[in-house]
Amino acid sequence: MNQKLSFGEPFLETRYLESEEAFEVTFPSVLVNLDKEQEVIINGEFELAPLKAMAVRDVTVSVPGKALLIVGYDTINLADRITMNALCAAWKSNYQLTGLPQHKNSPYIKSPKETLGNVSVNFCLVADPDAPSGIHKDHADPKVQELHVQIVGQGAVDLMKSQDPDSMYASLPLSAGSTHMATWNKEGAYTWHRYRSITPCIFLGVEVH
C-alpha cells in the first residue's frame, strides 16, 4: 500500500507505506518506521529499527510493516516570515484546540491529526526558540508509545524527576530526521518528560496504541 495523506499539505507531502516490497524514494525525505516489531530495509542492507526515523534520499525501501514518508522537509524555511505566517494560519494553536487559559500564548501550532489503524500522527510547529511544552508522564491511553520525530530545525526531549522544570536530569537532542529513544520502561510507564524547541521548528507527534 502506498497512500498519499493530506494532513501536512500544502507544506509537507506525506505518504503512508504498508507491505511495500520496493518503494523508490527520490527526493530528500524523513522515513519513520511506525511498526513496533518489524524493521524497514533500506537498499536491501540497512535496517531501520521499529519506532525509529532517519533522513533518506535516492534509496529503495522495503516496508514489511508500516512506515511514513515525509517529503519536502528540506524546503521549509521558518526564518521566512511568509512561510511562518502561512503555517500559523493553516494550522491551529494549542489555545484554539483546548481553550485552556495556560495555552493562550502558546507557540505550539498543530496540523490536523491523521489516524492510521493503531497509529495517530500530526505535525506541530513551535514558532519560538527555547519553548518547552508541559511536563507530563501520563496519557489518555496508558498503553500509548509516544514519539517526537524532528522534521525542521532542532529540538529536544527532556527527562525530568518531577513536574518541577529544575528537575531535568537528561536531554535527548533532536535534529531533522531523528527521533529519540523510548521514554517509557518495559512496563510501559513513562518518566516525567517534555518536548522543548531549540530553534523554531516542526516535529511530528506519533502515538502508537
Side-chain angles (χ1 to χ4, degrees), residues 5 8-14 70-73 76 91 123 151 202:
L5 307 175
E9 293 182 349
F11 311 102
L12 293 160
E13 178 186 330
T14 54
I70 301 158
V71 184
Y73 77 98
I76 294 180
W91 297 350
F123 292 111
I151 305 299
I202 296 174

Side-chain angles (χ1 to χ4, degrees), residues 39-96:
E39 292 81 9
V40 171
I41 310 301
I42 300 171
N43 287 341
E45 57 184 8
F46 183 85
E47 295 183 352
L48 178 62
L51 303 183
K52 294 298 181 184
M54 66 183 301
V56 297
R57 66 175 298 170
D58 296 325
V59 296
T60 301
V61 299
S62 173
V63 184
K66 45 196 168 185
L68 195 68
L69 195 67
I70 301 158
V71 184
Y73 77 98
D74 60 320
T75 68
I76 294 180
N77 178 12
L78 296 180
D80 178 63
R81 182 49 54 184
I82 294 176
T83 299
M84 181 68 80
N85 288 343
L87 283 160
C88 291
W91 297 350
K92 292 185 177 180
S93 68
N94 263 357
Y95 182 65
Q96 289 175 302

Side-chain angles (χ1 to χ4, degrees), residues 87-195:
L87 283 160
C88 291
W91 297 350
K92 292 185 177 180
S93 68
N94 263 357
Y95 182 65
Q96 289 175 302
L97 292 169
T98 69
L100 296 174
Q102 61 265 36
H103 291 160
K104 193 165 188 179
N105 297 310
S106 170
Y108 282 68
I109 316 292
K110 297 180 179 180
S111 77
K113 182 172 284 190
E114 185 87 29
T115 299
L116 306 162
N118 67 322
V119 180
S120 297
V121 292
N122 69 301
F123 292 111
C124 182
L125 163 71
V126 189
D128 295 340
D130 195 26
S133 70
I135 300 169
H136 62 286
K137 66 185 297 188
D138 297 319
H139 302 87
D141 178 355
K143 296 182 179 179
V144 72
Q145 294 177 325
E146 177 191 57
L147 296 173
H148 306 77
V149 180
Q150 198 70 28
I151 305 299
V152 179
Q154 296 180 311
V157 169
D158 298 329
L159 307 183
M160 329 290 287
K161 295 179 182 178
S162 70
Q163 285 184 289
D164 181 353
D166 292 332
S167 70
M168 185 178 79
Y169 64 87
S171 187
L172 311 175
L174 294 170
S175 58
S178 69
T179 189
H180 49 84
M181 65 182 70
T183 54
W184 58 89
N185 62 20
K186 293 180 180 179
E187 287 72 43
Y190 285 78
T191 185
W192 292 101
H193 63 282
R194 68 182 181 190
Y195 180 87

